[in-house]
Amino acid sequence: MRADRLISILLILQNRGRMTSKELAERLEVSERTIHRDMEALSMAGVPVYAERGSGGGWSLAEGYRTNLTGLKAEEIKSLLLAAPTSVLQDLGLGANFEDAFQKLVASTPDPLRKDAEYVRERIHIDGAGWHQSGESVPYLPTVQEAIWQERKLSISYRREDAVVKRIVHPLGLVAKRSIWYLVAQAEGELRTYRISRLEDARVSPETFQRPADFDLADYWETSMAQFKSTLPRYPAHIRAAAEILPRLRQERFLQIKTTQPEQNGWVVAEVQFETLDSACEIALGYGAQIQVLEPEELQTQIRQTAAAILALYKTAPVSAKK
């Protein structure tokens, strides 16, 4: 554990510059006395670390001291720096390991390549949460990517539900939501999101544009998703569910678990939120006898009616369709 912490201190100072003992202690969740002992250990190991006293002081590495990463090409480093910790890593308790590995990679990357990598990360955001898998066709993705790379205006024809509209946009970044690609762009003075698979045409303009200095792609996407979710229909209900299916329920696209209260028999009572009455009925029936709807009454009624129709269908259906 101490060896890992010493490496972390080295990389933090290398990436962020001067830091106080208090800042390092808070970041690494240890005492300031431990930080002082670690600095002595680094110094004895030949690492040129030194302290500056005063209000602007702190721990620093000697100017020009860096660790080196060799054997990786520029494009390989860019591809690694595009990676992002997913909910799966967080669930497995490996999120911190990813961040440590990322810091090591950044620290070991030569300055020119680090700038290229930061350029890429500003323009592509990978959202690993996802809703569902998709095999969408995205023939204009390379064109959009080219416009983003070169900061050139993009002329698009975009298919909506009722019509195809034409726009000249300022492409700011790409977002991958699982296998679905989105373009985030400025259009008519506003930030908008376009699904790449709905592009009927896309052409790079020779005219460049000025990228907003304060635009953060990841922040925009998270805010946009929060706003989108807040506008979805809501259908509250109370259910009893077998505790073993809770992980699956949490992955349902049209279901949000608000609160849970465990029972002694291996079941839980949960306050949930579906999107609509129909989707609530479909989800509840999909889990069979592992879910019992407690309220509202109209949902109970619809489930009973649907279950009765299914039972009647199988009572009258032939035993086998084989001839």
Side-chain angles (χ1 to χ4, degrees):
M1 290 295 293
R2 189 188 187 195
D4 290 340
R5 191 173 63 249
L6 292 177
I7 293 174
S8 295
I9 291 174
L10 173 60
L11 294 174
I12 290 170
L13 293 178
Q14 187 168 293
N15 292 337
R16 302 191 59 175
R18 185 181 295 111
M19 294 188 72
T20 66
S21 296
K22 181 179 180 181
E23 290 172 336
L24 288 168
E26 290 177 351
R27 186 180 181 94
L28 298 174
E29 299 181 347
V30 295
S31 67
E32 293 186 44
R33 179 174 296 182
T34 297
I35 293 297
H36 284 280
R37 287 198 296 264
D38 288 344
M39 290 305 181
E40 291 178 4
L42 286 172
S43 181
M44 293 178 62
V47 176
V49 59
Y50 63 93
E52 291 186 5
R53 300 185 181 278
S55 58
W59 294 99
S60 300
L61 293 172
E63 185 175 355
Y65 179 82
R66 303 193 63 80
T67 58
N68 294 311
L69 177 68
T70 59
L72 287 177
K73 300 177 182 178
E75 295 304 317
E76 294 172 334
I77 292 177
K78 289 180 186 178
S79 67
L80 289 174
L81 291 178
L82 275 175
T86 65
S87 58
V88 175
L89 285 179
Q90 301 295 347
D91 291 342
L92 294 174
L94 297 176
N97 297 78
F98 174 90
E99 183 60 29
D100 289 343
F102 178 77
Q103 290 294 334
K104 292 176 184 178
L105 182 59
V106 172
S108 304
T109 303
D111 287 340
L113 291 184
R114 188 183 309 112
K115 292 178 180 178
D116 286 346
E118 291 172 354
Y119 187 92
V120 171
R121 288 177 68 86
E122 287 175 354
R123 288 159 175 79
I124 297 183
H125 173 62
I126 308 298
D127 185 342
W131 289 313
H132 58 284
Q133 296 291 344
S134 170
E136 293 186 329
S137 174
V138 286
Y140 293 104
L141 181 59
T143 303
V144 173
Q145 183 177 351
E146 179 185 353
I148 293 172
W149 258 212
Q150 299 180 6
E151 294 189 349
R152 295 185 180 274
K153 295 181 180 180
L154 185 68
S155 177
I156 63 173
S157 295
Y158 188 72
R159 185 180 72 255
R160 292 180 174 173
E161 293 183 359
D162 56 348
V164 175
V165 297
K166 294 186 177 181
R167 294 282 187 273
I168 295 179
V169 303
H170 298 179
L172 300 177
L174 288 169
V175 175
K177 184 78 171 177
R178 287 286 177 90
S179 57
I180 301 176
W181 283 96
Y182 296 90
L183 162 66
V184 176
Q186 276 186 324
E188 301 177 345
E190 298 179 352
L191 289 173
R192 298 181 181 176
T193 303
Y194 300 91
R195 192 162 175 161
I196 301 293
S197 62
R198 294 183 180 174
L199 290 178
E200 297 284 338
D201 188 36
R203 303 189 183 196
V204 180
S205 168
E207 188 177 356
T208 62
F209 66 92
Q210 186 67 38
R211 181 183 178 86
D214 59 349
F215 176 73
D216 186 290
L217 182 60
D219 285 348
Y220 165 79
W221 182 255
E222 294 302 322
T223 301
S224 178
M225 287 299 96
Q227 292 174 346
F228 172 76
K229 291 177 181 178
S230 69
T231 63
L232 293 174
R234 301 174 187 276
Y235 189 85
H238 280 84
I239 65 172
R240 289 181 71 246
E244 63 192 51
I245 69 169
L246 278 181
R248 291 165 53 197
L249 285 177
R250 297 185 192 280
Q251 298 299 317
E252 288 286 348
R253 181 182 178 187
F254 300 112
L255 170 65
Q256 181 180 3
I257 299 177
K258 308 294 287 185
T259 62
T260 59
Q261 181 65 43
E263 295 183 336
Q264 295 182 350
N265 55 4
W267 285 62
V268 296
V269 174
E271 177 189 0
V272 300
Q273 194 164 263
F274 299 98
E275 286 197 1
T276 63
L277 172 61
D278 289 339
S279 66
C281 182
E282 181 179 342
I283 292 173
L285 286 171
Y287 286 89
Q290 292 179 301
I291 283 184
Q292 177 189 10
V293 172
L294 303 178
E295 56 181 18
E297 186 176 346
E298 69 168 350
L299 177 54
Q300 292 178 331
T301 299
Q302 182 155 326
I303 290 175
R304 291 192 194 98
Q305 292 174 347
T306 305
I310 293 173
L311 181 59
L313 178 64
Y314 279 92
K315 281 185 177 180
T316 59
V319 174
S320 176
K322 295 182 180 180
K323 295 184 179 179

